[in-house]
Structure formats: structure tokens, C-alpha cells
Amino acid sequence: IPFKIFIRKNENGFILSVDSTDKMQLFKNSKEEMVGISNNERTVFSELAAGNYTLLVNTFEQPIKIRLK
């Protein structure tokens, strides 16, 4: 993977940070798109519940599957 993914947990749920300037989308159970906040260095998805997620990155061919528990 050409970028770093960081996962943290706090009282509101999980926080997923991706250090990449590429456009990306995060889906829960491949249906519901999660909204993230982006700047010119990273994208952050916050308040994520436990479950299965799929990260799609425009410059990466394969989807990245993430399980939070």
C-alpha cells in the first residue's frame, strides 16, 4: 500500500486517518458511504462504529477491506 492508515478509538467510536492526497471513499457494508474530511495531506473519517468497511482509492486498483471491533 503506497500510503499509511492510522486507526484510533475514543469515546465516540473509531477514527480512521489515511495519509494520502488521493481521492478516496469509505463504505460501510459496501452500501452506506461514510463522509470524511480531507486536506492536502490526509483524509479523516471519524465516529465510525464497529463493523466491516471498504476503502476505495482512485489510484489503487484493489479495494481495501477494514474490520473495526
Side-chain angles (χ1 to χ4, degrees):
I1 299 176
F3 45 83
K4 294 181 182 179
I5 298 174
F6 300 96
I7 300 171
R8 294 182 301 270
K9 185 176 182 186
N10 64 16
E11 63 276 354
N12 296 327
F14 292 92
I15 300 168
L16 179 74
S17 301
V18 183
D19 283 353
S20 176
T21 58
D22 299 331
K23 182 162 173 46
M24 59 190 70
Q25 297 173 292
L26 182 68
F27 293 94
K28 183 173 184 175
N29 299 327
S30 299
K31 297 177 185 172
E32 178 185 354
E33 184 174 358
M34 308 306 291
V35 178
I37 299 171
S38 298
N39 64 16
N40 28 343
E41 294 180 6
R42 71 178 49 106
T43 301
V44 177
F45 301 94
S46 60
E47 298 183 13
L48 301 174
N52 296 322
Y53 294 86
T54 303
L55 181 66
L56 301 176
V57 182
N58 286 352
T59 58
F60 203 66
E61 290 183 22
Q62 297 292 324
I64 299 169
K65 296 185 180 184
I66 300 169
R67 181 178 178 195
L68 302 175
K69 73 180 218 183

